[in-house]
Amino acid sequence: MATERLNSILNHLTPGKSGLSSITQKNPDDVVITLAIRTPLAKAFKGGFKDTPLDYLVFSLLKKVVDKSNLDPQMVEDISLGNVSDGKAAYIVRAAALAAGFPNTTAASSVNRFCSSGLKAVQDIANQISNGSIDCGLAIGAESMSAGGDRLAKPFHDEILQNQEAADCMQPMGQTSENVGKDFNISREAQDRFAAESYRRAERAQKAGWFDDEIVPITTTIKDPKSGEEKQVTLTRDEGPRWGTTYESLSKVRPAFPQFGDRSTGGNSSQVTDGAAAVLLMRRSTAQRLRQPVLAKFCGATVTGLAPRIMGIGPSLAIPKLLSKFNLNLQNDVDIIELNEAFASMAVYCVNTLGIDPDKLNIRGGAIALGHPLGATGARQICTGLSECRRQKKKVLLTSMCIGTGQGMAGLFVNEQL
C-alpha cells in the first residue's frame, strides 16, 4: 500500500502528462463505481409505475442494490437521493433504506438540482469520499412524474420579479425550448430528424438486448383505471421506445406549445417518465479490500449557469468547462457521450455548437425515446453510458444535461471493464 501511495503522489507530480493519460491512471484514492443499475423507465400516468409511489420505487431499487452488490450494507455510510418533485424525499430515502436492509448507521439525504439531481447525488457522494468524510456511499436518482411535476405553486415575490432573469425562471420548459429554436434558428425539420434518430437507436438497442445489463426487474402493483382491479406486474424493459417511428410520422405531430412557438412537439421532446437509477461508489482501495468489481472511475463533474430563458443550451457551456479542467479534447479524447435530450432544440444546438460526433452520441437513444424522469436522469445516463462503454470496449464517458432555471452540468468517467 505504501508503494501504491508513493506512485500515486509521483504520478500527480510528473510533468507533461496528457489529460487522457492522467485520468486513466489507477490510484488507491480514486473514487470508483462498483455497481450501476436502474429500473425500467415507464410512461408516467399510464405506464407500469403509474400507481407506484416514490417511496416504493426507491425501496425496490435499494433492495436490488443490496442483492446485486454482494456488499454488506453496513459498509455504505451515506445515501444521497436526487429527486425534483417530492418535498419529502429526505424522509423517503431514509425510511426506504432502513426497510431495504441498510442499518441505522447508514445516513441518508436528498438533493435537488432539477434535471441534474441524479448526477448531483453522485457528485456529492464522490466528494465525500474524496475528502475523506466517508469511504463508501450510494447515489440514487428517482422520480415519480405520475405523482406530479415541479411547477411553482405561486409566482415569486414582486421584488424578485422585478429582475427579468429571475422572472424568466418561471418560464415553462416548453417555452424555453421554443426560445432556443427561435433564437438559434433550430428548424422544426432538424428537431424532428434528430428525434427520429433517437427513436431508431432506442429500438435497435432494445431489440439487440443492449439494455439488459443495466436494467433490473421491478415487481409492483398496477390498477386498472376502469375497473379499479389491482394486479401485480414485473417491469423488465423501457416503455418509451416506439418502434417504427420515422421522421415522416414525427413531422405530422402538432406543436406542443403553440402559445410559444411551433417547433417543439410531443414527438421531439423528452417523455414524461417514472424511474430510478443507483450508482454505488467507494474509494479504490476500499473496493480492492472488499473485493468489489471496479466498473469505472469517477473523474469529476461541474456545473455552470446561463440565461434561464435558454436553459437548454447549458451542456454547451458545462462540457467545455469540465473538459478544460482535465485538459481533454471532446473530439479526440471522449469515446461515448450521453447528452440528455430534454428537447430536440437544445440537443441539436449542442451537437452543432460543440461539434459532437453523432457516432459517439446517445448510441442507445436518449430522453426523447427513453424518457426523462427528472431526478433519475443524471444517474440513469451513467448506467447506460457505462454499459455502452463495456459493449464497445471504450474508455471515456461524458454525461451532460441542461437544467431548469438556466444551468448545465456535466460528468466524466473512465470505464475499466474493457
Side-chain angles (χ1 to χ4, degrees):
M1 184 62 72
T3 302
E4 288 181 345
R5 181 79 61 171
L6 178 60
N7 287 336
S8 173
I9 295 172
L10 290 174
N11 283 331
H12 285 298
L13 296 176
T14 302
K17 283 189 175 294
S18 72
L20 190 59
S21 66
S22 178
I23 66 168
T24 53
Q25 292 171 3
K26 298 179 180 180
N27 301 307
D29 289 336
D30 291 339
V31 177
V32 298
I33 295 170
T34 60
L35 183 71
I37 56 175
R38 67 177 181 89
T39 72
L41 303 183
K43 291 178 178 293
F45 307 112
K46 56 185 178 181
F49 288 139
K50 70 180 181 66
D51 301 309
T52 301
L54 180 66
D55 58 356
Y56 186 78
L57 192 62
V58 172
F59 165 70
S60 298
L61 185 57
L62 286 172
K63 286 203 300 180
K64 294 291 184 179
V65 170
V66 173
D67 292 342
K68 294 185 72 68
S69 66
N70 294 316
L71 180 70
D72 186 341
Q74 71 177 348
M75 301 306 299
V76 178
E77 297 168 77
D78 196 11
I79 300 174
S80 179
L81 167 64
N83 174 265
V84 177
S85 302
D86 198 318
K88 298 180 175 62
Y91 282 109
I92 287 170
V93 65
R94 174 63 171 165
L98 293 169
F102 291 90
N104 60 20
T105 53
T106 299
S109 67
S110 63
V111 63
N112 177 7
R113 200 198 294 273
F114 301 109
C115 303
S116 70
S117 298
L119 178 57
K120 172 66 171 167
V122 170
Q123 182 188 44
D124 283 3
I125 292 294
N127 286 349
Q128 287 192 76
I129 296 170
S130 292
N131 67 27
S133 297
I134 63 174
D135 291 321
C136 176
L138 177 64
I140 313 171
E143 201 75 41
S144 172
M145 296 187 76
S146 292
D150 60 334
R151 294 291 299 275
L152 290 168
K154 61 180 181 178
F156 296 123
H157 191 280
D158 288 345
E159 287 194 37
I160 293 176
L161 293 175
Q162 290 176 13
N163 179 286
Q164 184 58 55
E165 288 200 325
D168 287 345
C169 288
M170 295 182 59
Q171 288 194 12
M173 293 299 95
Q175 182 176 359
T176 70
S177 176
E178 291 290 1
N179 292 343
V180 170
K182 285 182 285 191
D183 286 10
F184 304 107
N185 195 28
I186 310 298
S187 69
R188 166 72 187 266
E189 178 179 348
Q191 295 183 46
D192 285 344
R193 290 195 181 280
F194 182 93
E197 180 62 12
S198 181
Y199 276 108
R200 187 192 70 81
R201 293 183 180 202
E203 178 180 344
R204 176 186 61 183
Q206 203 167 50
K207 287 180 175 178
W210 293 351
F211 293 114
D212 293 353
D213 76 334
E214 60 180 279
I215 293 176
V216 291
I218 300 293
T219 299
T220 187
T221 300
I222 190 168
K223 181 184 297 184
D224 186 291
K226 294 181 179 179
S227 68
E229 180 185 356
E230 294 186 350
K231 65 177 181 179
Q232 198 172 71
V233 295
T234 299
L235 278 62
T236 61
R237 59 190 293 164
D238 297 326
E239 297 175 351
R242 294 192 285 265
W243 294 6
T245 298
T246 64
Y247 163 71
E248 288 73 22
S249 63
L250 290 173
S251 66
K252 298 175 183 177
V253 181
R254 291 179 298 178
F257 316 104
Q259 67 273 43
F260 305 124
D262 60 2
R263 307 184 193 195
S264 294
T265 74
N268 63 32
S269 304
S270 59
Q271 298 183 35
V272 181
T273 308
D274 304 325
V279 179
L280 183 61
L281 302 108
M282 60 188 73
R283 200 180 311 279
R284 186 186 296 276
S285 58
T286 302
Q288 292 170 337
R289 176 170 56 83
L290 299 176
R291 297 184 178 181
Q292 288 284 299
V294 175
L295 302 185
K297 173 182 174 180
F298 172 81
C299 300
T302 194
V303 68
T304 189
L306 68 152
R309 66 177 299 278
I310 51 172
M311 68 92 202
I313 72 169
S316 70
L317 304 175
I319 288 173
K321 180 179 178 180
L322 178 65
L323 296 183
S324 69
K325 295 180 181 297
F326 293 92
N327 192 27
L328 295 175
N329 178 277
L330 178 61
Q331 284 72 30
N332 299 330
D333 297 327
V334 176
D335 298 313
I336 301 294
I337 301 166
E338 282 285 324
L339 175 68
N340 188 42
E341 301 167 355
F343 298 94
S345 59
M346 52 74 54
V348 172
Y349 175 89
C350 291
V351 169
N352 293 343
T353 300
L354 296 175
I356 294 175
D357 182 350
D359 290 337
K360 297 180 178 180
L361 176 70
N362 296 356
I363 307 302
R364 304 180 181 189
I368 290 172
L370 300 175
H372 175 28
L374 303 176
T377 289
R380 195 280 301 168
Q381 288 179 308
I382 298 169
C383 299
T384 302
L386 289 180
S387 177
E388 183 60 24
C389 283
R390 293 192 294 271
R391 188 186 72 83
Q392 290 196 38
K393 300 190 184 304
K394 298 292 187 179
K395 282 189 176 181
V396 181
L397 168 66
L398 173 71
T399 70
S400 188
M401 69 287 293
C402 59
I403 305 169
T405 70
Q407 302 174 71
M409 193 169 186
L412 187 67
F413 310 82
V414 175
N415 168 46
E416 295 190 8
Q417 295 286 314
L418 298 172

